[in-house]
Structures are given as structure tokens and as C-alpha cells.
């Protein structure tokens, strides 16, 4: 694994730790929320307890469960070709 990947992986694990804290503070029914998001208990356990790195869809689901909003910038393009 190269240095850039390990930096991103470490940051992802750090963010998942923060998300986990938010979920605990909000006292959410995590099992039910994960089931509704389509994340299996085994995968959730790997991500939340064993340091596994989530896929993008799993990460976004965890953000949604915890109440974190992700804003993706958009660019308006003209309808006419240049």
C-alpha cells in the first residue's frame, strides 16, 4: 500500500470513529438503522469495531444515520455546446 492510500485509510478510520461517537450520543437503534441502510451486521461490526474501511456507499449510509450532511458541489453547464 502506498503512502497516499494509507493516509486516506487512516483518515477514513478516524471519521468512522467520529461517526460512531455521534451515533452513540444520539442513542440511535444502530441495528435497525444499519438494516434499513442495507449494511449487514457482520460488515458493520468490521467497520465500527475492527477498523475496517467502508465502501463509499457504506460511508455515506453511516453519515446519513448519524445525521451528517454531505454537500457535493455542482457546476452548471450551458445547454448549448461550445
Amino acid at each position: 500500500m502506498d503512502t497516499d492510500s494509507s493516509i486516506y485509510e487512516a483518515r477514513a478510520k478516524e471519521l468512522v470513529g467520529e461517526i460512531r461517537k455521534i451515533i452513540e450520543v444520539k442513542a440511535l437503534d444502530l441495528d435497525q438503522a444499519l438494516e434499513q441502510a442495507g449494511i449487514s451486521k457482520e460488515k458493520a461490526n468490521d467497520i465500527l469495531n475492527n477498523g475496517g474501511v467502508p465502501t463509499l456507499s457504506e460511508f455515506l449510509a453511516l453519515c446519513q444515520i448519524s445525521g451528517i450532511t454531505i454537500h457535493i458541489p455542482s457546476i452548471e453547464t450551458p445547454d448549448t455546446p461550445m
Side-chain angles (χ1 to χ4, degrees):
M1 184 182 311
D2 64 26
T3 304
D4 288 338
S5 294
S6 60
I7 291 171
Y8 292 122
E9 193 170 304
R11 182 68 177 129
K13 290 177 183 180
E14 184 180 314
L15 289 170
V16 167
E18 294 298 319
I19 289 170
R20 183 175 184 206
K21 289 177 188 175
I22 291 170
I23 291 169
E24 289 172 358
V25 167
K26 288 185 169 188
L28 299 173
D29 183 347
L30 186 56
D31 289 336
Q32 181 182 3
L34 290 168
E35 183 179 319
Q36 289 174 348
I39 301 174
S40 71
K41 287 183 182 181
E42 294 80 20
K43 184 64 179 173
N45 184 53
D46 180 52
I47 295 168
L48 297 172
N49 300 319
N50 298 329
V53 177
T55 64
L56 178 58
S57 61
E58 292 164 343
F59 178 75
L60 293 174
L62 289 170
C63 288
Q64 184 176 4
I65 290 167
S66 65
I68 295 172
T69 304
I70 305 288
H71 295 282
I72 299 174
S74 62
I75 299 173
E76 291 188 31
T77 56
D79 293 335
T80 56
M82 295 177 97

